[in-house]
Amino acid sequence: MDWNRVRYIAICFFIGLFSLSYHAYSQNANAIDSLIEMGDDMVDMEDYKAAEDKYDQALDINENYVLALKAKIRVLLLREKYNRARRLAENSLETHKDQPAFYLYLGEASIGRERYEEAMDHLNDALEIVDDTDSKLLNRIYVNLGAAYQKQNNFEEALNHYSKALDIDQTNPNVFLYRGNLYYKREAYEDALADFKKVLELDPNNHLAQYNLGMCYFRQGDKLNACDAFHNACEMGNKNACRMVVSKCLRESQSQ
């Protein structure tokens, strides 16, 4: 028997098998990425249920695909499905312990469930393994740590973590939104106004910032600017702003 020929045939067979496997894997990866992109587009349109359906289709192809897992957890958090987000993040960590984003999502889910000490534990776990060059993820971790401290009325630590977040990245509107809320609660209305205006520079359709802008003006006795902000926020779909328009703007203008 010609062993060299047998060896050659075996090598060719395994090369062909590897090529087929790689081609199938590549096709699957492309299909998953396309589904994730479609889901992301739906998130941009705030159609979160449709986005989740696309991410589920991606996970049907590969249940451990990291990008699809992250995308689904994010949309569950947007839908305020905190228990489901927590379970999926915990399951994901069983096979992806090196992914700090999953600890971040656990922290965000815990904040949504009003378990702030638990949230800080998860967020600090994320800090321990996050790459120092991943500025966006670091920023989100510090923002959420600040939010957890703020919920516990530890305003100094909250401000400290918001400052750390801003040192890393000043393009995340949530930092300014949360810090603005903190300033508002401390009746530092000028500082709060500055932060809410910054939110609207970064995210012009942020109805919470627009409503809070109105509340700051209202507390300062500037009803003209307050009502203008409430009208804008109401048009964006903020129900509290609509109530303020009716109770503080329309009625008072009719009584004059």
Side-chain angles (χ1 to χ4, degrees):
M1 181 179 292
D2 187 345
W3 289 108
N4 287 331
R5 181 172 176 78
V6 171
R7 192 177 298 113
Y8 173 77
I9 292 170
I11 290 170
C12 290
F13 172 78
F14 284 114
I15 289 174
L17 187 62
F18 173 80
S19 297
L20 286 172
S21 298
Y22 178 79
H23 181 67
Y25 171 82
S26 179
Q27 282 188 319
N28 282 346
N30 289 337
I32 294 172
D33 289 339
S34 295
L35 287 166
I36 293 172
E37 287 179 12
M38 285 187 278
D40 291 346
D41 289 339
M42 291 169 183
V43 168
D44 290 340
M45 294 185 287
E46 299 186 3
D47 190 349
Y48 301 136
K49 180 62 174 69
E52 185 182 346
D53 289 342
K54 291 299 176 186
Y55 300 144
D56 280 337
Q57 290 175 37
L59 290 168
D60 284 341
I61 299 173
N62 184 342
E63 64 181 3
N64 289 316
Y65 199 79
V66 172
L67 294 180
L69 288 167
K70 289 180 179 179
K72 179 166 181 181
I73 296 170
R74 286 196 302 270
V75 83
L76 287 173
L77 291 168
L78 287 169
R79 297 186 66 202
E80 299 183 359
K81 306 292 185 181
Y82 299 121
N83 285 324
R84 290 177 59 199
R86 174 185 58 82
R87 286 194 296 270
L88 184 54
E90 287 175 343
N91 292 338
S92 300
L93 280 168
E94 291 179 6
T95 50
H96 304 291
K97 293 184 183 298
D98 61 336
Q99 293 288 330
F102 293 129
Y103 291 105
L104 166 65
Y105 300 148
L106 281 174
E108 291 180 343
S110 295
I111 290 173
R113 296 163 70 219
E114 300 183 0
R115 299 184 179 185
Y116 305 120
E117 290 288 344
E118 179 182 281
M120 288 190 284
D121 288 340
H122 292 312
L123 294 165
N124 283 315
D125 286 340
L127 273 181
E128 286 184 9
I129 63 172
V130 67
D131 190 328
D132 289 342
T133 63
D134 193 341
S135 60
K136 288 192 177 299
L137 192 58
L138 269 171
N139 175 271
R140 285 185 61 183
I141 294 169
Y142 281 125
V143 170
N144 280 281
L145 276 167
Y149 278 114
Q150 186 172 339
K151 291 291 186 180
Q152 294 179 308
N153 295 320
N154 189 336
F155 295 142
E156 293 306 318
E157 277 300 316
L159 279 174
N160 178 41
H161 284 82
Y162 293 148
S163 295
K164 288 180 180 180
L166 289 170
D167 286 341
I168 295 167
D169 180 8
Q170 298 194 15
T171 63
N172 182 351
N174 286 334
V175 189
F176 298 100
L177 183 64
Y178 294 157
R179 193 176 69 174
N181 286 332
L182 188 155
Y183 285 140
Y184 178 83
K185 288 180 179 179
R186 300 181 80 175
E187 299 183 3
Y189 298 126
E190 286 299 325
D191 290 330
L193 279 170
D195 274 355
F196 294 139
K197 287 177 181 178
K198 185 64 179 179
V199 175
L200 292 168
E201 284 180 24
L202 296 168
D203 181 11
N205 295 316
N206 193 304
H207 65 90
L208 289 174
Q210 191 71 60
Y211 169 72
N212 289 336
L213 198 68
M215 288 303 300
C216 285
Y217 285 128
F218 185 75
R219 294 300 179 192
Q220 290 180 317
D222 185 349
K223 292 186 178 179
L224 182 64
N225 279 322
C227 288
D228 186 49
F230 290 144
H231 276 289
N232 290 336
C234 181
E235 288 177 358
M236 294 175 185
N238 188 294
K239 293 180 180 178
N240 288 329
C242 296
R243 283 192 281 268
M244 291 299 287
V245 168
V246 173
S247 64
K248 301 298 181 183
C249 302
L250 292 180
R251 288 179 184 173
E252 290 190 12
S253 64
Q254 290 170 355
S255 65
Q256 292 175 354

